């Protein structure tokens, strides 16, 4: 069964690479065209399922606006084979394209990588770009990353120019993080005290037994 599933995935990936029976010309924003298979795209992405319904006919192009061809190809590789890009690949543009084309798991992964790998100045720059450039899902991750590295981020160029609402979000996230660390510390202290009390009880039992 497993061998059959692996074989099917390999056939699907090969179909993308070879272009066998591809019936969907996908035009990227830079004018290049990638060819896909309607049956696979409809099954793997609600966005494509909607685009390839109704009046669409095999051979009709799907225009993707401003998305780069390399990002479109990466999204298609994920939709066809389910494989994430190598860990070294970190791209906000790929995250945006993946989200726009319905590859949610790929979008989540790329957003996580962007938030984790961004320098303090990059975090500030991303936050300053606003909702038109940064998806809401990524915004929350950037705020969380900025709050966890507050000492560095507050010294980064442009931090003081962030909108007041963003500064409030970062401060709120910092407070929540600090509160959580306090709770975790209290739990550790309580656990340690319980261990000490248990040891004392054991010693008393041993002394009573000896007596």
């Amino acid at each position: 069964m497993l061998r059959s599933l692996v074989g099917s995935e390999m056939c699907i990936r090969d179909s993308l690479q070879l272009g066998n029976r591809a019936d969907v010309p996908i035009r990227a924003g830079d004018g290049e065209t990638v060819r896909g298979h309607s049956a696979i795209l409809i099954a793997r992405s609600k966005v494509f399922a909607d685009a390839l319904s109704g009046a669409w006919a095999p051979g009709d192009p799907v225009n993707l606006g401003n998305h780069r061809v390399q990002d479109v190809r990466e999204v298609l590789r994920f939709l066809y084979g389910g494989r994430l890009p190598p860990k070294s690949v970190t791209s906000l543009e790929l995250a945006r394209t993946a989200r726009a084309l319905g590859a949610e798991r790929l979008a989540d992964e790329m957003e996580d990588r962007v938030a984790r790998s961004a320098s303090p100045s990059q975090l500030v720059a991303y936050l300053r770009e606003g909702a038109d450039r940064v998806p809401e899902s990524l915004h929350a991750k950037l705020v969380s990353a900025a709050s966890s590295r507050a000492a560095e981020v507050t010294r980064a160029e442009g931090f003081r120019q962030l909108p007041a609402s963003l500064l409030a979000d970062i401060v709120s996230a910092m407070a929540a993080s600090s509160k959580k660390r306090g709770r975790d510390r209290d739990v550790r202290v309580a656990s340690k005290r319980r261990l000490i009390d248990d040891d004392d009880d054991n010693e008393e039992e041993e002394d009573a037994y000896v007596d």
Side-chain angles (χ1 to χ4, degrees):
M1 177 67 175
L2 178 60
R3 183 177 299 176
S4 175
L5 289 173
V6 172
S8 298
E9 290 292 343
M10 290 180 64
C11 289
I12 291 174
R13 289 198 299 270
D14 289 344
S15 296
L16 174 63
Q17 185 174 358
L18 299 175
N20 296 335
R21 300 185 179 181
D23 58 349
V24 186
I26 303 170
R27 291 178 184 167
D30 45 14
E32 292 195 51
T33 298
V34 182
R35 300 190 67 83
H37 302 76
S38 58
I40 297 173
L41 297 175
I42 289 171
R44 298 291 174 93
S45 164
K46 185 178 185 305
V47 174
F48 276 112
D50 292 341
L52 302 178
S53 62
W56 181 84
D60 289 348
V62 174
N63 297 307
L64 296 184
N66 296 323
H67 298 291
R68 304 179 304 182
V69 68
Q70 63 263 39
D71 296 327
V72 173
R73 288 198 179 101
E74 198 65 64
V75 171
L76 292 182
R77 277 193 285 269
F78 175 79
L79 292 176
Y80 275 62
R83 289 187 177 181
L84 295 168
K87 292 292 186 181
S88 58
V89 176
T90 302
S91 170
L92 176 57
E93 291 301 323
L94 176 54
R96 291 176 63 247
T97 300
R99 188 73 68 191
L101 299 184
E104 301 298 335
R105 179 167 163 252
L106 174 59
D108 288 340
E109 173 66 21
M110 296 313 301
E111 289 177 0
D112 287 342
R113 292 185 190 182
V114 168
R116 286 196 306 264
S117 64
S119 67
S121 58
Q122 285 175 323
L123 285 172
V124 172
Y126 288 145
L127 289 170
R128 291 183 66 184
E129 287 185 2
D132 58 327
R133 291 280 300 165
V134 177
E136 183 178 348
S137 53
L138 176 56
H139 173 84
K141 297 171 185 177
L142 293 172
V143 169
S144 177
S147 66
S148 66
R149 302 166 62 186
E152 301 169 273
V153 171
T154 52
R155 293 196 299 268
E157 182 180 355
F159 176 78
R160 294 184 182 278
Q161 282 71 53
L162 289 175
S165 58
L166 272 180
L167 294 175
D169 287 344
I170 293 173
V171 170
S172 176
M174 288 171 58
S177 178
S178 177
K179 187 175 181 181
K180 181 179 184 301
R181 287 196 301 270
R183 287 198 302 268
D184 293 342
R185 183 174 60 251
D186 291 343
V187 169
R188 289 195 299 270
V189 170
S191 297
K192 187 174 181 179
R193 285 175 178 168
R194 281 197 297 272
L195 289 173
I196 293 173
D197 291 342
D198 290 343
D199 288 341
D200 290 342
D201 291 342
N202 290 334
E203 289 178 3
E204 291 175 1
E205 289 177 3
E206 290 176 2
D207 291 340
Y209 177 77
V210 171
D211 293 342

